[in-house]
Amino acid sequence: MTLEKKYWGGDFGPAPVVVGTAAFNGLGFNAHQSWAVWRADGSALTQSPFRLLNGEQATMALIRSLPPTEYGVDRLWRILARVLKEIEPQLEAIPGTPRVGMWLAVSHWLAEVNDPWFGRVGVGLAREATRWLAAHGGSVAHLLPMGHAGLVDAVRAASEALKAEAIDVAIVGGVDSYADPLVFDILEEEEAIFDQRRTDGFIPGEGAALALLMDEREARSLGRRPTVTIDAIAATDEPATYWSDVPNLGHGLTEVMRTCTARLKHDHRTLDWIFADLTNETYRVREFLVALPRAIAPGGLDTAGATYQEIASPDLVTEFIPDGFGDLGAATMPTALALVSDAFLRGDPDAANCLIVGSSIAERRGAMLVRRLR
């Protein structure tokens, strides 16, 4: 496994900050609505047009305003276009004519560029996104087929472009939908989807979320008020995937979470909030339960306690994106970032920092440490 990590802020130089967010899913048409309905224990679960192998209709968290027969690039672009419409006025509020870049996490299925179906979906979505970007001060929209943890790769690429002054503002996020006949068939054959007898499967969902990133100094010089600063990101691959015969010992998830909590130790801070994408899949539950204590263990005992330092706050809040959203796939971490940004604004929970965690049934694992700006 190759660990990719990056620290910002303090001793590590200027940090990328969030100056705008957008979200669209089965619970909300924007980031604030998603946060409010989540806090009110809302649910987007409904019967879907898809039928399980046992003959029952599958439960999904669908966006009910979308045509039920639409799928593939048409559905993905309709979802993405909705969040781009929400982010557009926030982008236009930035003074001048900023150069814009775009990096989007998409399903790991779209990495199969030679597949007659997934290849066409990826090409079509990239074409539509690039067309929108070209009309808003950018050039090529980059799709990253990393699945649930793809936001980490998007932020890393965007931060490099910001540092090189190739762009002034970056749009990062993700879009995904399980309302696709081929994806549904693959997952149903693997018995990965929830039903009344297979309760450890996940409930598929769909959605998209975006964040506007800028260099903190540039944002403040232009009068933008950031809500969140990104302190650390980490990504790696887990060889023991859902389809693998190799037991998952949580090495990949442990590595990315511990890389982010190490930043807290460096700053002599404690972790206030963990926001993970855990579902009720046995595979992912076991992985998280193995990784969590390793990530927040204080350590220091090998030095007779000289370097002992607590990582977890006594008031640590551990939450998961609830079933009401369904599994959002590549939109999971972007949706979490949008929810955390809104939560920081409204003080629920009253946390100073948050560790956002992304895992999946595929290879990629990611974590991101974000800090509240007061």
Side-chain angles (χ1 to χ4, degrees):
M1 298 184 295
T2 301
L3 177 69
E4 299 170 5
K5 68 175 184 177
K6 185 71 178 178
Y7 290 169
W8 295 282
D11 299 337
F12 302 97
V17 294
V18 175
V19 296
T21 58
F24 181 42
N25 48 67
L27 287 184
F29 287 95
N30 55 51
H32 174 57
Q33 194 177 86
S34 299
W35 173 85
V37 179
W38 160 50
R39 280 315 194 197
D41 294 325
S43 175
L45 305 188
T46 185
Q47 276 194 334
S48 74
F50 297 94
R51 197 167 291 279
L52 299 163
L53 293 176
N54 63 11
E56 297 178 0
Q57 283 184 277
T59 298
M60 296 182 70
L62 298 175
I63 301 173
R64 302 183 196 191
S65 59
L66 299 183
T69 57
E70 192 173 65
Y71 58 91
V73 65
D74 295 333
R75 193 175 190 91
L76 288 173
W77 171 242
R78 190 184 292 269
I79 295 171
L80 180 58
R82 178 62 181 76
V83 287
L84 287 170
K85 184 177 180 181
E86 184 187 349
I87 210 77
E88 188 171 14
Q90 301 175 65
L91 182 62
E92 291 174 349
I94 299 173
T97 54
R99 297 163 299 163
V100 185
M102 183 187 292
W103 288 265
L104 298 174
V106 294
S107 170
H108 67 277
W109 303 111
L110 300 192
E112 301 179 32
V113 293
N114 295 321
D115 182 271
W117 173 249
F118 293 124
R120 188 168 72 242
V121 172
V123 169
L125 184 61
R127 181 178 61 246
E128 296 295 340
T130 295
R131 187 178 298 163
W132 184 94
L133 186 61
H136 293 81
S139 53
V140 178
H142 303 276
L143 301 189
L144 306 174
M146 302 295 188
H148 291 66
L151 178 65
V152 174
D153 296 275
V155 169
R156 183 170 56 84
S159 69
E160 290 172 356
L162 287 168
K163 183 178 180 180
E165 299 184 352
I167 58 172
D168 302 305
V169 58
I171 300 173
V172 298
V175 57
D176 210 342
S177 174
Y178 287 100
D180 183 299
L182 181 55
V183 172
F184 189 90
D185 284 349
I186 293 171
L187 293 173
E188 177 61 357
E189 288 175 7
E190 294 290 338
E191 298 187 342
I193 295 177
F194 171 89
D195 67 19
Q196 295 304 317
R197 104 189 128 75
R198 193 171 58 231
T199 55
D200 66 341
F202 72 89
I203 300 173
E206 59 184 353
L210 302 173
L212 287 181
L213 295 189
M214 295 183 70
D215 177 271
E216 184 173 6
R217 297 166 304 180
E218 181 72 10
R220 295 192 183 281
S221 70
L222 293 175
R224 306 305 299 160
R225 184 183 175 188
T227 56
V228 171
T229 185
I230 301 175
D231 283 340
I233 56 173
T236 191
D237 289 334
E238 170 57 61
T241 64
Y242 180 83
W243 296 279
S244 171
D245 293 330
V246 179
N248 187 335
L249 302 179
H251 292 317
L253 196 61
T254 298
E255 194 70 14
V256 296
M257 292 174 67
R258 192 158 53 192
T259 299
C260 289
T261 56
R263 172 60 194 276
L264 290 168
K265 290 188 69 174
H266 176 274
D267 294 347
H268 298 281
R269 293 187 286 147
T270 55
L271 181 62
D272 299 325
W273 184 14
I274 296 175
F275 199 29
D277 66 339
L278 192 66
T279 69
N280 58 325
E281 298 162 85
T282 302
Y283 167 80
R284 290 165 72 185
V285 169
R286 288 174 176 169
E287 179 184 34
F288 184 80
L289 291 178
V290 168
L292 178 62
R294 296 174 182 170
I296 62 175
L301 298 182
D302 55 337
T303 57
T307 58
Y308 179 89
Q309 181 185 330
E310 283 289 355
I311 294 174
S313 163
D315 301 317
L316 174 65
V317 176
T318 302
E319 293 187 289
F320 311 107
I321 296 181
D323 289 339
F325 283 96
D327 188 300
L328 294 169
T332 298
M333 285 190 79
T335 300
L337 180 58
L339 293 174
V340 168
S341 178
D342 219 70
F344 279 170
L345 280 173
R346 302 173 198 287
D348 182 13
D350 186 18
N353 56 64
C354 180
L355 178 64
I356 301 173
V357 181
S359 64
S360 76
I361 57 177
E363 292 88 358
R364 205 62 167 164
R365 302 291 184 271
M368 175 185 300
L369 179 66
V370 299
R371 177 166 41 91
R372 178 181 182 180
L373 290 176
R374 300 182 184 272

